[in-house]
Amino acid sequence: MTNDNQQRQQQPFDIDASVNVESEEAMMFNAALDEQNLDARELPLVVLGEMVIMPHMTVPLQVGQGKSYRAMERAWDEDREVLLIFVSEHEIESYKNGQARDLPRIGVMAKLEEFIKLPDGIVRIVLEGMSRARIVDVTQSEPFYRVRCDLIYDPEVAGAEIEALMDTVKQQVDEFVDYLGEVPQEAIAFVHRIQQPGHLADLVTWGPAFEFSDRLDILNALDPVERLRKAYFILARQLELLKLRQKIQQDTKEVLDQGQREYFLREQMRIIRRELGEDDDSDDPVDELRRKIAELNAPDYVKEQALHEVKRLAQQGMNSPEAGVIRTYVDWIVNLPWGDEEHAEISISEAQKVLDTDHYGLEKVKERILEYLAVRKLAGKKMRSPILCFVGPPGVGKTSLGRSIARALDRKFARTSLGGVRDEAEIRGHRRTYIGAMPGRIIQAMKTAKSNSPVFMLDEIDKVGMDFRGDPTSALLEVLDPEQNNAFSDHYLEIPYDLSKVIFIATANQLEPIPSPLRDRMEIIEIGGYTEDEKIEIARGFLAPKQLEFHGLTAEQLVIDDSALIKIVRGYTREAGVRNLEREIASLCRKVARKVATVQDEDTSESSTVSYTISEADVATYLGPERFSYGLAEEKDEVGVATGVSWTPTGGDVLSIEVLPVQGKGTLHLTGQLGDVMRESAQAAMSYARSRAELFGVDPSYFDEHVIHIHVPEGAVPKDGPSAGITLTTALISAMTGKPVRRDVAMTGEVTLRGKVLGIGGLKEKTLAAHRAGIKTFIMPRENAKDIVELPDKVRQDLHLVPVSSMDEVLKIALHNGF
């Protein structure tokens, strides 16, 4: 039968609908069935849920009270034939209550083999399926359904293709039996004796591979060959699933069996070696870890934690997925320095010698370090080590000071850079539940140093960031607090670690970005920039010899005159530190190294006699034209131009402030990337100048007839702060009165509306910048007079420092023929 006819058979049948008038599709359906010698019957109807009884099957069942039970009771008294239809569980109730509207078109005519009522009220029923049947009409609905139907018998079919399909299905049944087992051989033999495809298809559907929907689909297939094909595809799919499930189970069993086998073999090997007296357990990782823990110089709670983890490792075996995590954790414990160490007696004179050898200048810093070492020598373990924090511009030797302290104390040196650290776990570590977890940088550095009391440098502590992963500076609070760090808790170790014996030293370029709780735990030591003389001494005694060695040159092959060093400092560098100076010296060494190598290629006998001396005149030949102009801030005294000084993270710098009055409406115009505070200083200077205009000999209407333009070069560099107040006021009054400002005078200070001069910060950096620029007189607030003692001797000798408290004093010094 065609697929179209099969689809028509599967359409539901309306119980109450009349069958006298048939549709065109129904007529075509009936015509196709009429070709198969149909046998008309009128039979009681039995509705079964979620089970399908195929023809040639004998099945026992139980049916509750209802129409289906009454139908079989009547059939037992008549010819024992009933028509079975099969519906899903959620439809069965509607049939029992007589509320169903539709019937399936195809059912099975079955014969009652047994219908026995037992004394306990149970009815034993045995049904044998006989043939398929098509429901034509419903003739009775009470007290049970009775329907008229046509019995459908499978035609006899044969052929090579059909025979091959039947053999394939029988092989599938054999494979299924091999997987399932416990199937009687008589049943298998019975399947192999079947000769018709429809009968074979009906029989195999009783197997566990078929669901209710699959059996119903095969029941509705009237073509026996098509029915067997459906059964073949379902069996093939289920066999593939069985094979895959068996493979997964077998692979899992092999992995577990291999792990158990290796464990027992390893235990047997250990017992055999012990019985033979060959107690060499070095190849056993667990025993090796136990030996390391026994030899570890650590507190008892550390050993207990390590042994607990080793016990877990032994129980799980080395092939356990967690074995690598446990072993890594135990390795960290046994490789960390836990025990106390003996250190040589601190020698203050030796420490001073080391500091002087490694660093030139920095007298105040060296003095504080020596005081620290002296107290540590006298107090010993009673002293809670303060946390030193070196703050200063780049290139002044902050990090190298930490190395010198370690060398002076004869201790290991550990360093970690905190620049750009944004994750709290970088400090405290990750918990072991994370894949690839590791301790934080503090514990990692302790392991690298192999000492529990090194000099620990926390570099760039002002560059620590903060984001959604946490605040690393908060984690540093415990590290840098002498009252807490004796039991530092790392998330990875989860064991208290004593950091109280560590000498922590932090470095920073700026103090402001450091959070106040963290700053409170540190002793701030500010390191200013170097003077010109200090830079030349550093270049002569430290930088030049180091670069000669790095470039493979000797002191005879390259000689750099002091005049050349002065030229490089003044014309090729402008910095607080000496990094750029070292780069320029390295550039000289590279160019000379090339010449020496070229001479050696031409004549090796003359290589030892080659010598180059670089004087002031030769510097431009090697390094090119000067990058910076050195000398006075201005070439001549000018009207409306005053020289100020500023503080930057890399040191101080000089700047010129220009004021130009032009005809126009009385407004104030500011340019030069000025910040809000500096703009307010300009407004204050303007108000002060207007209030004092008559004293300066200026007509009060002057400000209504002129536009005052104030400009601060360089325009691309942002500038802010109140310390340019007196410089702005001086330049403005100079432009108003036409009196020039002295070019050899620089100044700094905040100005009020009444002309008072207030204190400022960064005096050392500003005076160094003025000294580098060749300034002779430096005007500063009187409040900062107390800071003069902190300035380098060279600066105090060369600069005429003038403390002032009012603008009147400033103008008398800064203007020609002052007021």
Side-chain angles (χ1 to χ4, degrees):
M1 184 171 289
T2 64
N3 291 336
D4 292 338
N5 286 337
Q6 293 177 33
Q7 293 175 3
R8 292 187 189 101
Q9 292 173 28
Q10 297 173 17
Q11 296 175 358
F13 186 85
D14 190 346
I15 292 179
D16 297 333
S18 172
V19 295
N20 295 328
V21 180
E22 295 185 337
S23 65
E24 183 179 352
E25 291 185 351
M27 293 174 63
M28 293 175 63
F29 177 79
N30 293 332
L33 291 178
D34 289 338
E35 297 176 2
Q36 308 183 20
N37 304 321
L38 302 179
D39 185 7
R41 300 284 181 90
E42 185 171 331
L43 302 173
L45 181 68
V46 175
V47 183
L48 300 179
E50 293 288 329
M51 69 176 298
V52 178
I53 300 175
M54 292 291 187
H56 311 291
M57 285 185 184
T58 301
V59 180
L61 53 83
Q62 291 182 359
V63 178
Q65 297 293 326
K67 289 189 176 184
S68 294
Y69 173 82
R70 291 193 291 271
M72 286 189 286
E73 191 176 35
R74 175 63 60 87
W76 181 255
D77 296 331
E78 296 176 352
D79 56 2
R80 300 185 180 182
E81 293 180 349
V82 294
L83 181 67
L84 307 178
I85 61 172
F86 313 98
V87 297
S88 61
E89 287 292 342
H90 70 274
E91 296 175 325
I92 190 71
E93 292 298 327
S94 61
Y95 285 101
K96 289 181 180 179
N97 300 328
Q99 299 174 355
R101 299 282 303 169
D102 301 325
L103 291 176
R105 283 188 177 276
I106 303 300
V108 173
M109 189 275 282
K111 190 168 186 179
L112 283 166
E113 296 293 334
E114 288 185 11
F115 189 86
I116 302 174
K117 300 179 181 179
L118 300 177
D120 54 1
I122 298 176
V123 180
R124 180 180 177 184
I125 301 172
V126 178
L127 287 173
E128 180 184 3
M130 306 301 293
S131 67
R132 285 171 172 75
R134 177 179 68 93
I135 299 175
V136 176
D137 193 9
V138 178
T139 60
Q140 175 184 317
S141 60
E142 292 295 338
F144 56 84
Y145 289 122
R146 187 184 292 273
V147 297
R148 189 169 66 249
C149 60
D150 294 329
L151 303 187
I152 304 170
Y153 302 101
D154 289 340
E156 296 283 339
V157 292
E161 181 179 355
I162 296 173
E163 186 175 347
L165 179 60
M166 291 182 66
D167 290 341
T168 303
V169 172
K170 291 175 181 179
Q171 291 177 6
Q172 289 178 321
V173 172
D174 291 340
E175 289 185 46
F176 236 99
V177 169
D178 292 339
Y179 281 110
L180 298 178
E182 300 181 359
V183 177
Q185 291 298 320
E186 294 80 7
I188 301 173
F190 178 77
V191 170
H192 281 274
R193 288 197 299 269
I194 295 175
Q195 300 298 321
Q196 289 301 314
H199 187 188
L200 180 61
D202 291 342
L203 187 62
V204 298
T205 57
W206 193 246
F210 293 79
E211 302 289 341
F212 172 73
S213 58
D214 299 328
R215 291 168 179 161
L216 206 59
D217 190 28
I218 290 176
L219 175 68
N220 291 326
L222 301 183
D223 184 355
V225 177
E226 179 64 24
R227 193 186 313 156
L228 188 59
R229 286 199 183 96
K230 289 178 179 290
Y232 162 76
F233 287 122
I234 295 172
L235 283 172
R237 185 183 71 238
Q238 292 298 324
L239 278 172
E240 286 298 321
L241 291 175
L242 278 174
K243 291 176 182 178
L244 182 59
R245 188 180 300 116
Q246 187 182 51
K247 182 178 182 302
I248 293 172
Q249 293 174 350
Q250 184 65 26
D251 292 346
T252 305
K253 184 174 182 298
E254 288 176 0
V255 171
L256 295 176
D257 289 347
Q258 180 67 17
Q260 292 290 339
R261 180 172 175 272
E262 289 181 1
Y263 173 75
F264 287 121
L265 287 175
R266 191 176 295 109
E267 286 297 311
Q268 290 174 1
M269 289 174 60
R270 187 176 63 82
I271 295 171
I272 291 170
R273 285 199 303 269
R274 187 179 62 192
E275 293 297 328
L276 293 174
E278 300 174 357
D279 196 11
D280 181 12
D281 293 330
S282 59
D283 294 334
D284 190 340
V286 174
D287 292 338
E288 179 68 16
L289 289 175
R290 285 197 178 100
R291 183 185 60 80
K292 289 183 178 179
I293 294 170
E295 297 174 355
L296 184 63
N297 180 17
D300 292 339
Y301 65 86
V302 176
K303 292 185 177 182
E304 290 173 3
Q305 176 69 15
L307 288 173
H308 172 72
E309 295 296 328
V310 171
K311 184 178 179 181
R312 288 182 57 214
L313 180 62
Q315 291 173 347
Q316 296 184 10
M318 296 304 295
N319 291 319
S320 167
E322 198 178 352
V325 176
I326 298 175
R327 185 162 183 180
T328 303
Y329 175 72
V330 176
D331 283 340
W332 270 101
I333 291 178
V334 299
N335 287 305
L336 278 173
W338 296 92
D340 294 335
E341 301 175 16
E342 294 293 332
H343 297 285
E345 185 73 17
I346 299 174
S347 173
I348 302 301
S349 58
E350 184 65 27
Q352 184 168 6
K353 187 184 299 183
V354 170
L355 292 173
D356 290 338
T357 302
D358 293 348
H359 297 84
Y360 181 84
L362 304 178
E363 300 303 331
K364 296 292 183 182
V365 179
K366 291 179 184 178
E367 183 181 349
R368 177 62 187 88
I369 292 172
L370 292 174
E371 291 172 358
Y372 168 80
L373 298 179
V375 174
R376 192 171 188 88
K377 177 179 180 179
L378 297 177
K381 294 183 179 180
K382 300 177 184 177
M383 176 186 178
R384 292 282 188 176
S385 301
I387 312 301
L388 302 180
C389 180
F390 299 145
V391 180
V396 295
K398 299 186 295 297
T399 304
S400 59
L401 272 172
R403 296 184 185 274
S404 298
I405 294 174
R407 197 155 71 89
L409 291 172
D410 193 24
R411 294 199 183 197
K412 299 289 183 63
F413 179 75
R415 174 187 172 273
T416 185
S417 178
L418 300 178
V421 172
R422 296 179 178 274
D423 190 353
E424 181 188 355
E426 292 281 345
I427 307 299
R428 287 191 177 275
H430 298 82
R431 299 197 181 276
R432 280 183 289 159
T433 53
Y434 292 95
I435 295 175
M438 290 185 68
R441 295 194 180 195
I442 304 299
I443 298 298
Q444 290 183 37
M446 298 300 291
K447 177 186 174 184
T448 304
K450 298 180 180 179
S451 170
N452 74 333
S453 55
V455 174
F456 200 122
M457 175 71 72
L458 297 170
D459 227 351
E460 310 292 350
I461 199 171
D462 59 326
K463 306 297 191 303
V464 177
M466 179 180 64
D467 63 6
F468 65 93
R469 289 166 290 191
D471 182 6
T473 57
S474 299
L476 286 171
L477 294 177
E478 182 183 2
V479 176
L480 299 181
D481 192 340
E483 300 296 330
Q484 301 180 40
N485 62 11
N486 60 339
F488 172 67
S489 175
D490 185 274
H491 288 161
Y492 180 83
L493 286 183
E494 295 180 339
I495 305 174
Y497 191 87
D498 187 3
L499 295 175
S500 62
K501 303 178 184 66
V502 180
I503 299 176
F504 284 103
I505 298 175
T507 69
N509 294 131
Q510 302 178 57
L511 199 58
E512 288 75 16
I514 304 175
S516 56
L518 187 59
R519 195 187 317 167
D520 184 61
R521 283 166 168 78
M522 300 185 294
E523 181 175 341
I524 307 300
I525 300 177
E526 295 190 6
I527 304 176
Y530 294 109
T531 63
E532 181 181 288
D533 292 344
E534 288 175 334
K535 288 183 179 181
I536 293 170
E537 288 295 334
I538 292 171
R540 184 192 300 119
F542 297 90
L543 305 182
K546 183 172 74 171
Q547 292 301 323
L548 287 174
E549 181 181 356
F550 285 172
H551 291 83
L553 299 173
T554 64
E556 292 77 19
Q557 290 173 325
L558 175 59
V559 178
I560 304 176
D561 287 348
D562 288 350
S563 61
L565 292 175
I566 295 172
K567 181 75 171 178
I568 295 172
V569 170
R570 292 180 175 179
Y572 294 87
T573 64
R574 180 172 288 177
E575 58 179 342
V578 291
R579 282 200 181 135
N580 287 327
L581 177 58
E582 185 173 10
R583 292 190 186 100
E584 298 301 331
I585 293 174
S587 179
L588 289 176
C589 292
R590 287 196 303 272
K591 297 182 183 303
V592 172
R594 177 182 175 184
K595 292 185 177 182
V596 172
T598 303
V599 173
Q600 288 181 356
D601 290 342
E602 296 173 355
D603 187 359
T604 57
S605 62
E606 296 182 4
S607 61
S608 60
T609 62
V610 175
S611 179
Y612 295 91
T613 301
I614 298 179
S615 63
E616 181 180 359
D618 300 324
V619 173
T621 305
Y622 287 93
L623 301 181
E626 296 183 18
R627 298 184 183 89
F628 305 100
S629 58
Y630 176 81
L632 296 176
E634 297 294 334
E635 296 181 357
K636 61 179 181 178
D637 300 341
E638 293 191 37
V639 174
V641 180
T643 303
V645 285
S646 63
W647 179 92
T648 67
T650 59
D653 200 1
V654 297
L655 54 86
S656 297
I657 294 180
E658 303 173 347
V659 177
L660 180 64
V662 295
Q663 291 291 333
K665 295 182 179 179
T667 57
L668 178 64
H669 189 48
L670 304 173
T671 56
Q673 282 254 42
L674 306 185
D676 292 338
V677 177
M678 201 164 181
R679 288 177 174 272
E680 291 172 0
S681 295
Q683 295 283 356
M686 184 73 170
S687 298
Y688 172 77
R690 295 188 71 161
S691 67
R692 308 272 289 182
E694 294 183 359
L695 293 177
F696 299 145
V698 177
D699 190 347
S701 62
Y702 176 88
F703 297 96
D704 298 326
E705 300 170 355
H706 291 81
V707 174
I708 307 298
H709 187 171
I710 299 178
H711 179 68
V712 185
E714 303 163 353
V717 180
K719 312 165 192 72
D720 202 2
S723 60
I726 64 172
T727 314
L728 286 164
T729 307
T730 302
L732 177 59
I733 293 174
S734 171
M736 291 165 44
T737 59
K739 292 187 176 183
V741 182
R742 291 170 53 189
R743 59 175 179 167
D744 61 345
V745 173
M747 61 195 76
T748 182
E750 181 179 356
V751 69
T752 69
L753 292 176
R754 295 175 296 163
K756 299 292 183 181
V757 178
L758 305 182
I760 47 87
L763 180 65
K764 183 177 180 181
E765 288 77 10
K766 293 177 179 179
T767 54
L768 284 172
H771 184 265
R772 283 198 303 269
I775 298 295
K776 301 301 181 184
T777 302
F778 189 85
I779 302 175
M780 55 182 282
R782 194 175 300 279
E783 292 181 16
N784 293 102
K786 61 182 183 302
D787 300 324
I788 294 178
V789 294
E790 303 292 335
L791 302 180
D793 293 337
K794 184 68 175 175
V795 172
R796 285 186 288 174
Q797 292 172 7
D798 293 349
L799 277 182
H800 177 43
L801 301 171
V802 184
V804 297
S805 58
S806 66
M807 276 305 303
D808 293 338
E809 298 176 65
V810 174
L811 296 176
K812 287 179 182 178
I813 301 169
L815 299 181
H816 276 286
N817 304 321
F819 293 96

